[in-house]
Amino acid sequence: MRERITFIQKLGDSLEPSALKVTGSGISGPEVRAVREDRLTLALDELPTELHTLLKGVHELHIRWVSPIAFETVSPLLARLPPGLHLFYTPGRTSDTTTSDNLCPALVKTFGNIACLTPAESFTALQNDRFSHSTTFQYFQPLESLSHFFSYAKGQLCPASDSSCATRLDSLTQASSLDVSYDTISHTLKITALWPYQRQAIQATARSQIRTEVGVLSSEIPPSIEPHELGISGLLTVLGQDSKPSATMFTFPSRHRDAQSGFSTKFLEPTGLHPTLQIQLDSNRPPSDDSYCSAHAYFTLPRGVFADKYQLADDLFLASKNLTALRYISQPVDLEAPEYVMKQWGSAVLLELSPPPSSEKAQPWTAEIPLHLRYLSPAQGGYANIEVPYPAVFWACAAEEGTLFPNNPFERVNLGYDGLFGPRTVFWHVDPHPQQQQQQQQQQEQKGSVVRATNTIRVPVLDLDKAQWVNVVTAITVLLGFGWVAWKLFSVYSRSGHQRVVSSEPNKDKKWQ
Amino acid sequence: MANPTQISPSSMRTATTSAGKRKKRVSFAPSPEVTTALSMSSFFARPLPLYLSAALLRMVFLLYGLWQDANSPLKYTDIDYLVFTDAARFVAQGESPYARETYRYTPVLAWLLLPTTWDASVWFSSGKVLFAAADLVAGWLIERVLVSGDGGQGTPMEVATARKYACIWLLNPMVATISTRGSSEGLLGVLVMALLSAVLARRVALAGLLLGFGVHFKIYPFIYAPAIVWWMDRERIGSPASRDKLGVSGPETLFGRIVGFVTPARVQLAAISLATFLGLNAAMFMLYDSPFLQHTFLHHITRIDHRHNFSPYNTQLYLASAFPDLSAVRIESVAFLPQLALSCLLIPLVLGKKDLPTAMLAQTFTFVTFNKVCTSQYFLWYMVLLPLYLPQSSFIKNKALGISALALWVASQGMWLQQGYELEFLGKSTFLPGLWIASLAFFLVNCWVLGIIISDVS
């Protein structure tokens, strides 16, 4: 078991080694503005039996949760995902399906209210032949918090003797994202938590039997850096081993970079049953002048809302919305079924956006995504809400021929969209900057002063308060209509029977020939 | 998803303004009306002007549609047409038409549209040309049936008058719009008219083929089978000898009646139509396996039609589909009872022998009105039969009645469309009571109209 704790500051914010106080029991330092990332790496046999058994049948499993509350992060921890719970899964190569059968119940047990029945019913398949480095299955659902996971973990993972374990788990409730990753190649389980860019004290405690390494780092641009590289410098300390931090500086090629612009999204009013999501981007200038770049938006749409791939096939229509093409949509997407009969999680959509031609000065622009609502279950009051997570918006640029992206210390792969691009693609992330909306302001009063990276649609549904007469009155009306028509038929019959009334004029009936 | 808001009920307006026979009577009087009457009758005197106008109308719509498709993000072409042509493309590549999601039709339709996959882009519209041509043929068949005077109680009609009534279909902008947008309902129109005229011409084998094919194509024409069989009695079809033997002096026992009912013509129709239907299905099943069965037939049984439409059952079905355990009776399985009792049993029995075309109109009208799903495309199913009934209808004889029926039909539909618009585009929860009341009102108006149609048969 080992742990890595990293504080990353922005370019130019560095810390003198003397500011850090290293003791036998830990490290402490001043308050800095930084992102904090904790990564715990566990060997398979260090896990509780239940989890151990489950993971044995897994080839690859990545569970990633992103908070619906908007947060800021810094380079190189930029690989954004839409807020919610993402799951990427490749079953083991055996014919034993126990793991797949147990996966959904295990998720429900661990994360609480997860609408997953079996991988076959609820997951969508990623085409493995085309995207060789993606997992086989994908699952997503919006999830407000990991509170259920934390109480589960306290019971399962923390030994009763170790109170620091529970304290650490409590601090995780403030994290903005959490990744749990396992693959058979490394045979290790990695748990990575990220706290957003904010003022926080540098503080870490050494724990027995765990090697804990603490880095206090910041972005750096050394003179020798290549255009496709990022630089990092700072101080590294192994707790309980080093008596003082040692300085470090390194450069590495990074797949995920900062486009240094922002975007926000909103639904155009009125939303109706065919809402249009508008993406407002700050800049139409590609982040890199040297390579070919195209703007993309990657959505994970909950099952209540979907995009119609047939509608998104017409060039003229796409152009009118500032879209270039629908690059990917998970299959199948039932275009008719109501939400309440769906078993599949929803759909993943990758759209290429079409920015107006870029000029000297960066200009704001918008793209519009036409979506469709499913019928939702009837509810009291006649309306139900659907919360649609923000997409991940990025410029995908082709890296120079020959560039390789070996795993860097902050690499994050299997994000859903990375597998849809070639291996030499660099993702320049546009930062989500949600605007406060009216609906959000109302929610804010309940949830405190936060801005959510989601959009809420109010969906009209059948109002249960008014539904008590529907069955009776419909039945009476149909019987009334039926009775009226039957009565008319009876009148005709009683007047002239069912035979043809032969016309009184002779020789008109030419049938007798 | 069918969009019931796309079609205006303009055809009914056309129906009441084309004042058939009255114009003829004034043709001797020298008045200002004469010129219009003369030019009107000269328009209908020869076939060319009418059919040329009908073709021109469709051509203009088709070209306009091409222009709109090329220049506006809002498309003229119906989404269904994209479904058909996608399916045809799959077929052209040697795949199954059911590879296209929401393709719920017989493979024959995709085969018919194979030319739309040919290289040059002009071929893409060939399916619309086919549907438009089907409209014209249906119109011509309407004219023929009216002229023969065979079906209804009426005497044979003069050709010019028949054309006036046929123009209710031929020059109907709603019909022309639907076919040039690429909806296949026009093919149904020609199939049903061909079936009717084959029956009236006593071409039993042809009628059997058309009936079997029609049911394979769109299921609902099966409702015509009982009316046609009932109509085909020995008095109408059968050798004079057998008529004398059984029809005149046979004992009125139950057995005698049953034997009397089973005529060679009826047996021939049943055998040929059943063989056609089953043969086509077997062939399609062999070619495309269970997706064919699933999408062409089973889908219509299992589908949950929650999306709002004109059907009186719609709100109830939405409720029931969301809470399947709560309802004591399964509406889906009870709803077809009044529908089929009227359209397949009572109407054929009472009206079939008296006036086959009007019986078929009443059957179709009932089927659509009482259906669990009802969109405006379905109105086309009965509209093709309307010109055969209107000449002797109370709606033409009694202008006030005709206008109020039309006004009520339009008003209740308009009320529904307004509520539907608020739901679909403004996001207002109008399911209850607005949409529900409107669909019930529209249903009752339809039933009232249906009652008048039935009473007109004597």
Side-chain angles (χ1 to χ4, degrees):
Chain A
M1 197 185 291
R2 55 181 202 275
E3 191 173 25
R4 187 185 87 185
I5 297 170
T6 318
F7 296 86
I8 301 181
Q9 297 167 278
K10 284 187 178 170
L11 184 72
D13 290 352
S14 59
L15 208 62
E16 288 301 313
S18 57
L20 291 178
K21 196 178 156 207
V22 181
T23 64
S25 63
I27 188 170
S28 58
E31 267 201 355
V32 290
R33 284 186 75 86
V35 165
R36 174 174 171 157
E37 187 205 62
D38 286 11
R39 174 173 293 174
L40 187 69
T41 308
L42 297 121
L44 203 51
D45 50 21
E46 289 172 307
L47 297 172
T49 339
E50 197 182 5
L51 201 55
H52 189 172
T53 324
L54 184 76
L55 289 178
K56 265 186 161 171
V58 167
H59 182 70
E60 220 178 328
L61 179 67
H62 308 278
I63 299 170
R64 309 185 190 283
W65 175 79
V66 181
S67 168
I69 293 158
F71 62 93
E72 193 186 344
T73 177
V74 298
S75 173
L77 301 172
L78 288 165
R80 289 271 191 180
L81 271 175
L85 186 82
H86 300 258
L87 187 138
F88 301 96
Y89 169 55
T90 304
R93 304 215 182 278
T94 58
S95 55
D96 181 17
T97 60
T98 325
T99 299
S100 288
D101 295 341
N102 291 336
L103 187 58
C104 283
L107 284 172
V108 173
K109 208 167 159 185
T110 333
F111 291 97
N113 191 18
I114 301 294
C116 154
L117 300 172
T118 63
E121 284 175 300
S122 302
F123 290 14
T124 50
L126 290 161
Q127 291 156 302
N128 253 38
D129 48 339
R130 188 172 142 203
F131 315 113
S132 53
H133 52 296
S134 344
T135 57
T136 314
F137 295 109
Q138 178 176 17
Y139 179 83
F140 168 81
Q141 83 167 56
L143 188 68
E144 187 62 35
S145 82
L146 290 179
S147 52
H148 193 280
F149 171 72
F150 294 137
S151 55
Y152 169 82
K154 269 184 203 170
Q156 292 288 315
L157 299 174
C158 291
S161 56
D162 185 2
S163 68
S164 72
C165 176
T167 319
R168 282 300 293 282
L169 277 170
D170 282 336
S171 72
L172 277 175
T173 53
Q174 302 301 314
S176 288
S177 90
L178 186 91
D179 282 11
V180 180
S181 268
Y182 171 80
D183 63 81
T184 40
I185 296 159
S186 66
H187 264 286
T188 53
L189 184 78
K190 290 195 186 87
I191 302 172
T192 311
L194 180 87
W195 286 263
Y197 185 74
Q198 62 192 1
R199 283 197 77 83
Q200 51 190 320
I202 293 169
Q203 209 279 319
T205 317
R207 288 159 63 197
S208 58
Q209 290 157 6
I210 301 177
R211 182 185 189 271
T212 307
E213 187 183 21
V214 180
V216 183
L217 309 172
S218 59
S219 286
E220 180 74 52
I221 307 179
S224 61
I225 198 164
E226 298 279 333
H228 64 275
E229 289 181 324
L230 289 178
I232 286 285
S233 72
L235 307 163
L236 294 179
T237 316
V238 178
L239 296 187
Q241 188 181 313
D242 299 345
S243 57
K244 63 177 175 53
S246 50
T248 181
M249 181 163 83
F250 54 99
T251 61
F252 55 92
S254 178
R255 227 187 283 274
H256 297 279
R257 306 193 59 170
D258 189 355
Q260 293 182 334
S261 65
F263 79 96
S264 66
T265 68
K266 66 171 186 197
F267 279 106
L268 298 180
E269 293 288 335
T271 46
L273 295 180
H274 309 281
T276 300
L277 184 77
Q278 189 183 59
I279 307 182
Q280 296 171 302
L281 296 105
D282 297 345
S283 166
N284 60 338
R285 280 188 61 119
S288 163
D289 295 329
D290 316 328
S291 52
Y292 173 76
C293 294
S294 49
H296 288 83
Y298 176 76
F299 294 87
T300 46
L301 297 171
R303 56 173 66 135
V305 60
F306 64 94
D308 178 358
K309 66 171 176 180
Y310 300 106
Q311 184 187 27
L312 295 170
D314 179 68
D315 288 335
L316 207 61
F317 179 78
L318 287 166
S320 74
K321 308 280 179 199
N322 275 351
L323 303 174
T324 304
L326 174 70
R327 292 294 179 213
Y328 171 78
I329 182 162
S330 57
Q331 291 294 313
V333 178
D334 192 314
L335 303 176
E336 293 156 334
E339 190 257 1
Y340 44 84
V341 303
M342 295 280 293
K343 289 172 181 158
Q344 191 178 293
W345 66 266
S347 51
V349 175
L350 178 71
L351 276 159
E352 184 179 339
L353 313 180
S354 174
S358 95
S359 51
E360 277 298 297
K361 203 167 156 273
Q363 279 176 336
W365 59 289
T366 61
E368 277 151 24
I369 324 291
L371 298 171
H372 306 275
L373 293 176
R374 294 185 192 285
Y375 271 35
L376 306 185
S377 206
Q380 271 160 6
Y383 294 93
N385 284 339
I386 289 189
E387 208 175 12
V388 181
Y390 259 49
V393 176
F394 50 83
W395 294 82
C397 302
E400 257 178 73
E401 198 74 29
T403 313
L404 287 171
F405 292 102
N407 271 358
N408 73 56
F410 306 103
E411 183 73 313
R412 206 176 175 204
V413 287
N414 274 306
L415 301 162
Y417 55 83
D418 52 352
L420 305 176
F421 292 87
R424 280 206 322 278
T425 307
V426 180
F427 302 96
W428 296 78
H429 289 269
V430 183
D431 240 22
H433 293 154
Q435 309 290 307
Q436 301 223 339
Q437 291 178 357
Q438 255 187 346
Q439 284 167 353
Q440 288 191 340
Q441 276 164 6
Q442 287 164 9
Q443 284 171 359
Q444 242 179 63
E445 283 154 26
Q446 297 152 14
K447 293 183 182 172
S449 175
V450 290
V451 183
R452 298 172 69 79
T454 59
N455 291 107
T456 303
I457 319 177
R458 195 167 82 131
V459 183
V461 298
L462 193 148
D463 187 353
L464 274 183
D465 291 335
K466 300 174 187 162
Q468 67 270 37
W469 295 105
V470 167
N471 283 326
V472 177
V473 176
T474 305
I476 292 173
T477 309
V478 170
L479 283 177
L480 213 66
F482 176 82
W484 169 256
V485 176
W487 164 250
K488 284 290 166 184
L489 281 167
F490 178 75
S491 322
V492 170
Y493 181 77
S494 57
R495 197 168 64 221
S496 56
H498 67 267
Q499 290 292 346
R500 201 158 78 113
V501 180
V502 180
S503 152
S504 51
E505 296 164 71
N507 301 328
K508 276 292 176 187
D509 199 345
K510 59 182 174 128
K511 274 109 214 165
W512 294 82
Q513 282 167 6
Chain B
M1 164 186 50
N3 182 357
T5 59
Q6 288 155 352
I7 292 151
S8 72
S10 43
S11 63
M12 292 294 272
R13 221 165 288 134
T14 325
T16 42
T17 48
S18 66
K21 292 173 184 168
R22 278 172 291 115
K23 289 276 161 67
K24 265 197 308 186
R25 288 192 213 115
V26 294
S27 56
F28 291 110
S31 76
E33 282 174 6
V34 175
T35 43
T36 43
L38 277 177
S39 64
M40 277 287 279
S41 50
S42 68
F43 180 80
F44 291 112
R46 286 171 302 120
L48 191 67
L50 174 64
Y51 290 93
L52 198 64
S53 329
L56 269 175
L57 177 72
R58 281 157 179 80
M59 204 180 326
V60 169
F61 279 25
L62 189 84
L63 291 175
Y64 167 76
L66 287 177
W67 178 85
Q68 188 181 320
D69 283 354
N71 291 286
S72 163
L74 271 174
K75 301 302 172 194
Y76 178 81
T77 299
D78 196 288
I79 293 170
D80 285 347
Y81 191 67
L82 303 179
V83 177
F84 307 153
T85 49
D86 281 352
R89 214 166 301 128
F90 279 117
V91 170
Q93 290 159 5
E95 288 180 58
S96 156
Y98 302 104
R100 174 57 163 88
E101 284 174 79
T102 72
Y103 184 79
R104 314 237 193 260
Y105 314 86
T106 164
V108 176
L109 183 59
W111 297 349
L112 280 175
L113 297 186
L114 272 177
T116 61
T117 65
W118 294 349
D119 270 345
S121 63
V122 284
W123 283 108
F124 183 72
S125 298
S126 62
K128 297 179 179 182
V129 175
L130 176 76
F131 300 151
D135 279 359
L136 298 194
V137 177
W140 176 74
L141 288 168
I142 293 172
E143 179 198 311
R144 292 292 307 277
V145 170
L146 283 171
V147 168
S148 76
D150 241 351
Q153 318 124 292
T155 49
M157 198 181 263
E158 274 180 45
V159 176
T161 319
R163 286 193 192 116
K164 276 180 199 169
Y165 281 102
C167 89
I168 294 170
W169 173 263
L170 283 167
L171 298 184
N172 189 324
M174 170 174 166
V175 177
T177 309
I178 288 181
S179 59
T180 53
R181 289 186 70 214
S183 175
S184 64
E185 309 299 340
L187 287 182
L188 256 304
V190 77
L191 265 177
V192 170
M193 280 315 300
L195 169 65
L196 176 60
S197 45
V199 171
L200 296 179
R202 288 147 182 83
R203 299 178 64 178
V204 179
L206 180 63
L209 279 172
L210 287 166
L211 181 61
F213 181 67
V215 178
H216 168 77
F217 202 91
K218 199 93 190 189
I219 308 176
Y220 89 88
F222 78 90
I223 59 172
Y224 302 133
I228 292 169
V229 167
W230 190 234
W231 180 88
M232 282 186 158
D233 50 22
R234 268 175 218 275
E235 289 177 33
R236 287 200 171 90
I237 305 182
S239 65
S242 67
R243 228 180 281 131
D244 291 342
K245 209 163 59 193
L246 273 151
V248 181
S249 60
E252 286 288 295
T253 62
L254 183 65
F255 179 72
R257 280 183 178 207
I258 291 169
V259 171
F261 181 79
V262 184
T263 66
R266 281 172 172 153
V267 171
Q268 193 190 358
L269 180 86
I272 291 179
S273 60
L274 210 64
T276 311
F277 176 69
L278 293 178
L280 279 169
N281 288 347
M284 298 307 161
F285 186 72
M286 262 150 62
L287 278 172
Y288 299 114
D289 215 11
S290 55
F292 158 69
L293 276 188
Q294 174 56 40
H295 294 289
T296 318
F297 297 116
L298 300 180
H299 165 75
H300 296 283
I301 301 166
T302 56
R303 68 196 289 191
I304 305 168
D305 275 294
H306 56 290
R307 289 255 164 204
H308 52 288
N309 61 69
F310 292 118
S311 168
Y313 298 111
N314 181 247
T315 312
Q316 206 173 15
L317 285 174
Y318 178 14
L319 256 181
S321 72
F323 309 108
D325 309 329
L326 282 188
S327 44
V329 211
R330 290 195 69 77
I331 304 142
E332 304 91 291
S333 23
V334 190
F336 74 91
L337 279 174
Q339 180 189 29
L340 294 190
L342 287 175
S343 64
C344 293
L345 193 70
L346 296 176
I347 294 174
L349 269 181
V350 179
L351 307 185
K353 289 196 184 197
K354 294 170 178 288
D355 181 348
L356 185 59
T358 305
M360 282 168 67
L361 170 70
Q363 284 181 286
T364 323
F365 207 106
T366 308
F367 191 84
V368 171
T369 301
F370 283 78
N371 204 20
K372 284 185 290 178
V373 193
C374 177
T375 67
S376 40
Q377 261 97 335
Y378 295 5
F379 301 160
L380 226 62
W381 295 357
Y382 55 75
M383 214 154 272
V384 72
L385 293 160
L386 211 56
L388 304 179
Y389 152 74
L390 278 180
Q392 332 88 6
S393 74
S394 319
F395 299 115
I396 294 285
K397 286 175 194 148
N398 179 353
K399 253 187 168 176
L401 181 73
I403 289 169
S404 27
L406 176 66
L408 274 172
W409 194 77
V410 171
S412 55
Q413 201 179 143
M415 189 165 112
W416 187 96
L417 288 172
Q418 194 270 335
Q419 294 294 307
Y421 171 81
E422 291 206 343
L423 170 69
E424 185 112 29
F425 297 102
L426 305 184
K428 284 175 77 176
S429 180
T430 56
F431 290 108
L432 284 173
L435 261 183
W436 178 55
I437 298 286
S439 68
L440 293 185
F442 184 59
F443 168 80
L444 288 175
V445 169
N446 276 312
C447 286
W448 175 64
V449 170
L450 192 54
I452 293 170
I453 294 175
I454 289 167
S455 305
D456 278 344
V457 180
S458 55

